[in-house]
Amino acid sequence: MPMPVIPLDDQHWALTTPGSTYVIGVVIDPETGEAAPRQTYWGPRLGPEAARQVTDLPRRHLSSFSTPAEVEELLPVDGGKRWGAPSLQVAFGHVRSVELRFVRSEVRDEGDGAERLDLVLADAHHPFEVVLSVRVRADTDVIERWTTVRTGTDAAVTRLDSGNWFVPDADAYRYSGVFGAWAEESQLQRGPLPVGELVFTSRQGITSHIANPWIMIDAGETTEEHGEVWGLALAWSGSWRLTTTHRPEGGVSVSGGFGHDGVRWTLAPGEELVTPPVLGLYTDGGFGAASRAWHEYARLHVLPTPAEERPVLYNSWEATTFAVTEAHQLALAKTAASIGVELFVMDDGWFGRRDDDTTSLGDWFPHRERFPEGLRSMFDGIRDLGMSTGLWVEPEGLSKESELYRAHPDWALHLEHRRRDEKRQQLVLNFAREDVREWAVGWLDGLVTELDLDYLKWDMNRPFTQAGWPEKEQSQDRIWIEHTRGVYQVMARLRERHPGLRIESCSGGGGRVDLGILRYTDEVWPSDNTDARDRQHIQHGFSQLYPASAMSAWVTDTPNPTTRRTMPLRYRFHVAMAGVLGIGGNLAEWTSGELEAAAELIAQYKHVRATVQHGRQYRLAGTPGAERSAVQYVHGDQVAVLVYNPLGNAKRAPRRLRLTGLDPEAQYELERDGSRWYGATLMAAGIRPAAWEPIGPDYRSELVVFRKV
Ligand code: DGJ
């Protein structure tokens, strides 16, 4: 197998993945000696000779008034003759400027088909080293990049991106990304990329509901199954920024990294700062192939337990909100177990004096009136029903009205001489502090051990504002990065102590969904909006980057508590079956007919669960906004298709559904009636799902399953 990093000459390298090539080199200005590591090529895979030729291509002439060529640099600095968006901005005393010299390159075999290239550079005057790292792997087209700076002098870093990526020339550019708000996260937007700088960012200390840290660029003609896509994603769960520059002269670059504008990281001599990875993916198979490549990357290199099938869970939040009691939870658990639920999770309300959201975050002991004997007997009762157990926690949350805040007011993120405003009646604990992390590991470990928990739903309901750490004076801005690292560390230590423990990431719905948190958590809660119709849009956006095995999805009550929309049980199930199925409704009020239908649908889900969670996902005809839509999953010999028709008498949309990703020569047996069809027929002519017939009630849906013969 050819090595992924191929040196082309002393200063150029071709980095190869199964389907792409990335050529980079260090250009040294003959007059000034300044070194600028630059991207020469990123696109379809090239052989070494072709890659070498790429480095000989003449560079375009730019007038001195044009945007400089720094958009093609791997890490354009604020310094030299540049004025574009910098990926690295550092001040040494009063001088905010970096001038780099090339020091050396290093190629390392990291095993398992991964190779890493480090380009080491140093400032021409100050003892300040910058290392650009690139990792390519033999099993994915996703390329990982990150940056390290080390200093021998005082330096104030105001921007340190993980990397800048250049998207080759095209006649036009289009961007795709997801945006939203609470209860409407992950709304896919796709549109022409305006000339100028376009910034997607979070200044919230969490990933945010507003935007998600990825972007995909295409030349305007790419479809779900055809065309080139260049995608970038940042594996980070705190504040972040992706700056896309579309030059008027042509060419687009995207620089991505942690922190947001104004955050200042001061480094003392001997200190270093390492960024999280920014990931780049090229594919020529359309948006669908891009998503499948991201999903596969998450399975191979991000998720902690990708081989497992996630259990069907029950969560008490929508049924009981804060009013949890042992008797009521056990009653819900009994019904849940009877319909096939495998994991029972008690949500908010079990601790301190938590009767509503005004108090008790920080007081992680059982609510004395509701659970006078503690929680153990309730969880034992749940285990006796044959289910595993989980509990809601919000370790970073802090209520002013709590014993913890009275004891440690300094543990809250705060600024000297500034108010401590609350949001959702709470503050945020400073996880950059070691004592806070020790405290968190201590009580979480105790809770998991004492109650024998299998699962934690880790929530976070307070974006940062007025965030600081006054005792740290100069370096108090560090909390914007150290807090997130602290959360990662606590999760990692907890998992180390409890290898069987699984964690769900929640942040008031989908406020912390990213490839950083997915390294420490097994699934995420995409939104507090459980309305199946809204959820289809959220899931469509979610699936662009993240796999179904990480997407928790509950069936809740009708009318939906958030939107008041009424929808059939079957439709609600079929939408939630597109991810990790859960039940979040008040089972005490479901009729026996509904419970029977639910049991049947849960059994059907279990039949296709491995395919949905681990299979290749194809978003078939229609976005969820269309009259009819469908999502297909292929895994081993099984093909599962979830078909939706929300508008019953829709007449115009297609009535035939063409499958994809099948073996054209093979025969596929339709499980429902045993009929056999060639893959070629299913892909070229398609099927005619009953749910797609033109006249009928609203919200029809079905699950169609084939087995390859
Ligand atoms: C916000 C979460 O998104 C909900 O699912 C629920 O856990 C509440 N917090 C509890 O306060």
Side-chain angles (χ1 to χ4, degrees), residues 38 76 131 161 261 384 476 582 634 663:
R38 194 169 72 95
V131 185
D161 277 350
D261 41 341
D384 288 346
Q476 66 164 327
V634 183
D663 174 354

Short mmCIF file of all heavy atoms in Angstrom, two decimals, residues 38 76 131 161 261 384 476 582 634 663:
data_model
loop_
_atom_site.label_atom_id
_atom_site.label_comp_id
_atom_site.label_asym_id
_atom_site.label_seq_id
_atom_site.Cartn_x
_atom_site.Cartn_y
_atom_site.Cartn_z
N ARG A 38 1.92 26.47 2.06
CA ARG A 38 0.85 26.79 1.13
C ARG A 38 0.22 25.51 0.61
O ARG A 38 0.90 24.49 0.46
CB ARG A 38 1.46 27.57 -0.03
CG ARG A 38 0.50 28.28 -0.93
CD ARG A 38 1.31 29.21 -1.85
NE ARG A 38 2.06 28.47 -2.85
CZ ARG A 38 1.62 28.23 -4.07
NH1 ARG A 38 0.45 28.66 -4.47
NH2 ARG A 38 2.36 27.56 -4.92
N PRO A 76 -2.36 31.55 7.26
CA PRO A 76 -1.96 32.93 7.05
C PRO A 76 -1.83 33.68 8.38
O PRO A 76 -2.71 33.60 9.22
CB PRO A 76 -3.09 33.52 6.19
CG PRO A 76 -4.20 32.54 6.23
CD PRO A 76 -3.63 31.22 6.60
N VAL A 131 4.00 24.95 14.80
CA VAL A 131 4.05 23.64 14.14
C VAL A 131 2.70 23.37 13.50
O VAL A 131 1.66 23.39 14.17
CB VAL A 131 4.37 22.51 15.15
CG1 VAL A 131 4.53 21.19 14.42
CG2 VAL A 131 5.60 22.85 15.96
N ASP A 161 -5.93 29.53 14.68
CA ASP A 161 -6.81 28.56 14.03
C ASP A 161 -6.09 27.23 13.86
O ASP A 161 -4.85 27.17 13.85
CB ASP A 161 -7.26 29.09 12.66
CG ASP A 161 -8.45 30.04 12.80
OD1 ASP A 161 -9.01 30.13 13.91
OD2 ASP A 161 -8.81 30.70 11.81
N ASP A 261 -13.68 36.05 18.38
CA ASP A 261 -13.01 37.34 18.28
C ASP A 261 -12.86 37.99 19.65
O ASP A 261 -13.81 38.02 20.43
CB ASP A 261 -13.77 38.27 17.33
CG ASP A 261 -15.29 38.16 17.52
OD1 ASP A 261 -15.75 37.15 18.08
OD2 ASP A 261 -16.00 39.08 17.12
N ASP A 384 -34.84 -4.59 38.05
CA ASP A 384 -35.66 -5.82 38.17
C ASP A 384 -36.61 -5.97 36.99
O ASP A 384 -37.06 -7.07 36.67
CB ASP A 384 -36.48 -5.79 39.47
CG ASP A 384 -35.58 -6.00 40.69
OD1 ASP A 384 -34.42 -6.42 40.49
OD2 ASP A 384 -36.04 -5.72 41.82
N GLN A 476 -7.15 35.31 32.26
CA GLN A 476 -8.49 34.83 32.60
C GLN A 476 -9.32 34.43 31.38
O GLN A 476 -10.23 33.63 31.49
CB GLN A 476 -9.22 35.83 33.47
CG GLN A 476 -9.55 37.13 32.81
CD GLN A 476 -10.60 37.87 33.65
OE1 GLN A 476 -11.44 37.24 34.26
NE2 GLN A 476 -10.53 39.18 33.67
N GLY A 582 -36.06 6.42 21.06
CA GLY A 582 -36.38 6.56 22.48
C GLY A 582 -37.86 6.92 22.61
O GLY A 582 -38.51 7.30 21.64
N VAL A 634 -28.29 0.96 4.44
CA VAL A 634 -27.83 -0.34 3.94
C VAL A 634 -26.73 -0.85 4.86
O VAL A 634 -25.76 -0.13 5.15
CB VAL A 634 -27.26 -0.21 2.51
CG1 VAL A 634 -26.84 -1.58 1.98
CG2 VAL A 634 -28.27 0.44 1.57
N ASP A 663 -26.48 -3.44 -5.00
CA ASP A 663 -25.74 -4.21 -6.00
C ASP A 663 -26.72 -4.46 -7.16
O ASP A 663 -27.71 -5.17 -6.99
CB ASP A 663 -25.29 -5.51 -5.33
CG ASP A 663 -24.62 -6.46 -6.32
OD1 ASP A 663 -24.61 -6.14 -7.52
OD2 ASP A 663 -24.13 -7.50 -5.86
#
